[in-house]
Amino acid sequence: MGHSLMDSNPTFSHDFLTQNGVPTEHTLPISGFAAQKRGRTLNGIFLEDPAEIRYVGLILSLVTQDGKPNPHFGDGPFRIVLHEVEFIV
């Protein structure tokens, strides 16, 4: 899947929330990922084969995976500590 603004392939995103200073664990099922292109949700496109995943990234986005304004986005520093990523098929 693409990762460049110039790439025609969509990216796939999944929202999750964190709590300041509180370690959290998240399970993000493949079926819950939404296809997006330049912040717009693309309906009818699904990530069906985990073998197609080429990279994983974390961002604090202006929009949710549904394309709506992110109510958790705001001014100030952003920090997230990632301890582990595990792919479960």
Side-chain angles (χ1 to χ4, degrees):
M1 294 291 119
H3 68 280
S4 165
L5 288 176
M6 304 307 290
D7 197 323
S8 62
N9 292 324
T11 58
F12 291 85
S13 67
H14 201 302
D15 293 338
F16 65 92
L17 296 176
T18 62
Q19 294 180 5
N20 189 20
V22 179
T24 57
E25 183 175 313
H26 302 277
T27 300
L28 310 176
I30 292 289
S31 61
F33 280 77
Q36 293 187 337
K37 181 68 177 167
R38 298 184 181 170
R40 295 183 183 205
T41 301
L42 305 174
N43 295 316
I45 299 176
F46 306 97
L47 180 59
E48 298 175 3
D49 184 1
E52 293 182 22
I53 298 172
R54 298 290 177 252
Y55 70 96
V56 175
L58 297 173
I59 62 169
L60 177 58
S61 179
L62 289 168
V63 296
T64 65
Q65 72 184 50
D66 298 326
K68 298 176 182 163
N70 181 353
H72 305 286
F73 190 90
D75 293 335
F78 168 73
R79 179 174 182 251
I80 188 166
V81 177
L82 180 63
H83 292 278
E84 180 179 357
V85 174
E86 180 180 2
F87 292 93
I88 303 170
V89 182

